[in-house]
């Protein structure tokens, strides 16, 4: 909630700043409030970080006559109504997010279905662009919104500053290929096999060169077991009734380093190769020393569009110790686990995530989407068996089919079917289906 006074204060101050920018212009010095034109929408889109679910440009903007300064405030209100069938993921798992890793195994008698209405999936975002159209164009963007789930809490979701290809702040990691991650879903979380998490990052992306190539590299604040950096695991093997390794006593002084190279053939026809290098520091309590362990990941992603109405999406990622970047595994204490053959040592867990989707837009008002996703862990059976049921994870699958209809430019109705299942190492598997509908108002 602390972000809301900041937003209001900036909103009040920006018209004055806009006036100062306009006064320095040699041409028309007036400031306008108008519907967002195609040119302003293009400037706003190119100068903010892309996310897996990009919010459209706001309907109105404050701007100078030459669009060298732009202030825009917008958002979305998105009540969702649905029912779970076969399990009660909404109440016992993750609320409005269809998180397959949270599916209860086995399903609890008397809790194998639930009806819900959730009005808590909404965001407000604000963007300021200065010196637009010049080499020194600078943009500030931030977004606050509900956390989904069943709680009305508000949190800061994105806060970035961008200039000359450099973007710094709270954003989706460079390892997340937003354009290839998925077609739209009502489910706020989306497919379980995506590499997608929010991090504190400083990154640089080049302009296109060589007829379609671009490159990006960044540094991320290191996190390990969850997307917010909290350590969740406590079940390390014991030696003489004492733990043999400990994470919390070792500071992480080396950032994660994501990077990618992309070639774009044309609009919605592109391929990207991404990689990340990680360093994990921990205390070996047997030897009484601090040790370091490398984690790494690679991802191949892209889009194909044989027809402007038809777009295919695909991502495939594999690595060791990248759980906090993998959608379904973030928050589980399984990225780095004890090496039972070497007391005091840790090892990085191999894991995989893959997503495939297709989007078909037969008319400007109607869009049809389908997607399937899979995430998988290996070599953690002995450790996972010691964890609570909610953290015992082997693999999971996710399927979504939906349709969206644009009633107006700001009002969209959607309907969606979801299916997911989670398999464990020693207690079987369980699944859940969800049918839901939304009415999203974008302003």
């Amino acid at each position: 909630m602390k972000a809301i006074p900041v937003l209001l204060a900036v909103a009040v101050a920006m018209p004055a700043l806009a006036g100062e920018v306009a006064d320095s212009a040699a041409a028309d010095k007036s400031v306008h409030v108008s519907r967002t034109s195609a040119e302003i929408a293009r400037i706003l889109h190119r100068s903010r970080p892309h996310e897996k679910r990009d919010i459209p440009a706001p309907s109105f903007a404050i701007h100078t006559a030459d669009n060298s300064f732009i202030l825009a405030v917008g958002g979305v209100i998105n009540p969702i109504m649905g029912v779970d069938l076969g399990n009660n993921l909404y109440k016992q798992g993750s609320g409005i997010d269809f998180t397959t890793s949270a599916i209860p195994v086995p399903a609890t008698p008397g809790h194998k279905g639930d009806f819900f209405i959730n009005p808590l999936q909404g965001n407000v975002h604000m963007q300021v662009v200065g010196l637009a159209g010049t080499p020194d164009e600078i943009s500030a963007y931030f977004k606050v919104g509900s956390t989904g789930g069943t709680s009305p809490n508000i949190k800061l979701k994105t806060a970035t500053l961008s200039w000359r290809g450099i973007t710094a702040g709270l954003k989706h990691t460079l390892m997340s290929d937003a354009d290839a991650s998925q077609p739209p879903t009502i489910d706020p979380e989306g497919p379980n096999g995506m590499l997608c998490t929010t991090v504190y990052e400083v990154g640089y992306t080049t302009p296109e060169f060589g007829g379609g190539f671009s490159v990006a590299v960044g540094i991320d604040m290191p996190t390990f077991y969850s997307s917010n950096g909290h350590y969740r695991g406590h079940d390390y093997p014991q030696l003489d009734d004492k733990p043999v390794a400990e994470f919390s006593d070792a500071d992480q002084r080396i950032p994660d380093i994501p990077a990618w190279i992309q070639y774009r053939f044309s609009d919605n026809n592109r391929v990207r190769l991404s990689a990340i290098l990680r360093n994990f520091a921990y205390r070996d309590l047997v030897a009484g020393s601090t040790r370091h362990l490398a984690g790494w990941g690679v991802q191949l992603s892209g889009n194909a569009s044989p027809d402007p109405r038809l777009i295919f999406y695909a991502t495939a990622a594999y690595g060791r110790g990248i759980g906090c970047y993998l959608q379904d595994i973030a928050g589980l204490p399984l990225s780095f686990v004890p090496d039972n053959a070497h007391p005091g040592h840790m090892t990085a867990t191999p894991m995989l995530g893959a997503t495939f989707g297709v989007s078909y837009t037969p008319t400007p008002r109607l869009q049809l989407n389908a997607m399937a996703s899979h995430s998988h862990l290996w070599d953690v059976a002995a450790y996972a068996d010691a964890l609570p049921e909610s953290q015992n994870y082997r693999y999971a699958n996710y399927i979504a089919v939906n349709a969206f209809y644009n009633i107006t430019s700001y009002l969209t109705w959607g309907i969606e079917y979801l299916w997911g299942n989670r398999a464990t190492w020693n207690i079987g598997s369980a699944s859940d289906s969800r049918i839901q509908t939304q009415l999203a108002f974008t302003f």
Side-chain angles (χ1 to χ4, degrees):
M1 295 296 291
K2 294 180 179 179
I4 294 178
V6 176
L7 188 154
L8 295 175
V10 174
V12 171
M14 283 303 104
L17 179 56
E20 293 178 8
V21 174
D23 287 341
S24 65
D28 190 343
K29 298 181 180 181
S30 59
V31 175
H32 304 269
V33 179
S34 65
R35 288 189 61 85
T36 302
S37 66
E39 179 184 359
I40 290 176
R42 177 179 56 81
I43 294 172
L44 294 173
H45 182 74
R46 79 181 181 211
S47 59
R48 72 184 184 197
H50 289 188
E51 300 180 354
K52 67 178 182 181
R53 189 176 283 100
D54 257 351
I55 297 177
S59 300
F60 295 90
I62 300 171
H63 60 98
T64 55
D66 60 358
N67 293 332
S68 62
F69 177 90
I70 302 168
L71 165 65
V73 180
V76 60
I77 300 171
N78 184 20
I80 298 171
M81 178 177 67
V83 59
D84 279 339
L85 303 170
N87 219 311
N88 188 350
L89 182 57
Y90 182 81
K91 281 187 179 177
Q92 297 190 49
S94 54
I96 199 64
D97 291 321
F98 195 78
T99 307
T100 53
S101 64
I103 294 174
V105 179
T108 306
H111 299 279
K112 296 184 178 181
D114 191 41
F115 173 81
F116 63 87
I117 298 175
N118 190 309
L120 304 178
Q121 184 56 34
N123 297 290
V124 175
H125 65 103
M126 176 174 169
Q127 186 172 0
V128 182
V129 182
L131 303 175
T134 73
D136 287 314
E137 179 176 292
I138 186 168
S139 174
Y141 176 81
F142 74 90
K143 178 172 66 175
V144 297
S146 61
T147 56
T150 57
S151 169
N153 294 335
I154 302 295
K155 73 172 184 178
L156 179 64
K157 294 187 172 183
T158 308
T160 62
L161 188 65
S162 302
W163 176 75
R164 287 183 174 263
I166 301 171
T167 300
L170 176 67
K171 60 183 289 292
H172 282 184
T173 173
L174 284 174
M175 277 298 289
S176 172
D177 187 346
D179 293 326
S181 292
Q182 64 176 95
T185 56
I186 296 176
D187 170 27
E189 183 166 299
N192 63 348
M194 293 189 299
L195 284 184
C196 182
T197 192
T198 300
V199 297
Y200 297 104
E201 181 180 83
V202 178
Y204 173 71
T205 303
T206 69
E208 282 195 358
F209 61 92
F213 283 99
S214 54
V215 176
V217 63
I219 54 173
D220 292 1
M221 184 173 173
T223 58
F224 290 96
Y225 295 111
S226 69
S227 56
N228 61 6
H230 294 306
Y231 171 62
R232 303 287 179 84
H234 303 285
D235 298 298
Y236 287 121
Q238 304 288 304
L239 186 66
D240 297 330
D241 297 324
K242 295 181 180 180
V244 297
E246 180 60 62
F247 166 73
S248 60
D249 286 342
D251 294 328
Q252 306 300 322
R253 292 171 291 183
I254 301 176
D256 296 349
I257 303 175
W260 55 254
I261 182 170
Q262 173 179 288
Y263 183 76
R264 186 175 67 90
F265 302 89
S266 60
D267 289 344
N268 295 317
N269 288 281
R270 46 182 284 279
V271 61
R272 177 183 293 184
L273 178 63
S274 307
I276 190 167
L277 183 63
R278 317 190 70 204
N279 178 79
F280 172 58
Y282 66 96
R283 288 290 296 173
D284 178 346
L285 301 184
V286 175
S289 62
T290 299
R291 297 190 183 276
H292 295 266
L293 177 63
W296 58 270
V298 293
Q299 176 176 258
L300 184 65
S301 58
N303 302 92
S305 180
D307 182 281
R309 297 170 298 176
L310 183 66
I311 303 175
F312 292 95
Y313 304 75
T315 67
Y318 177 82
R320 286 180 172 269
I322 58 171
C324 72
Y325 289 90
L326 191 56
Q327 183 101 305
D328 211 34
I329 301 176
L332 299 179
L334 297 171
S335 283
F336 299 92
V337 298
D339 184 349
N340 291 325
H342 302 90
H345 290 242
M346 304 285 284
T347 184
T349 302
M351 52 191 64
L352 172 147
T355 298
F356 178 79
V358 60
S359 179
Y360 180 59
T361 308
T363 73
R365 288 182 177 269
L366 179 64
Q367 185 181 59
L368 308 173
N369 306 285
M371 65 221 72
S373 189
H374 177 80
S375 58
H376 205 119
L377 282 172
W378 290 271
D379 300 344
V380 296
Y383 184 61
D385 285 349
L387 293 173
E389 174 275 323
S390 62
Q391 297 178 348
N392 190 323
Y393 186 96
R394 188 170 187 176
Y395 65 83
N397 298 298
Y398 175 103
I399 293 174
V401 180
N402 60 45
F404 294 96
Y405 183 77
N406 295 319
I407 301 171
T408 69
S409 60
Y410 51 83
L411 190 62
T412 301
W413 171 77
I415 187 168
E416 180 170 79
Y417 171 77
L418 297 163
W419 176 86
N421 80 311
R422 173 170 75 101
T424 66
W425 288 94
N426 64 336
I427 54 177
S429 63
S431 61
D432 188 36
S433 295
R434 178 174 293 179
I435 301 171
Q436 59 186 3
T437 186
Q438 72 162 23
L439 192 63
F441 183 89
T442 302
F443 57 92

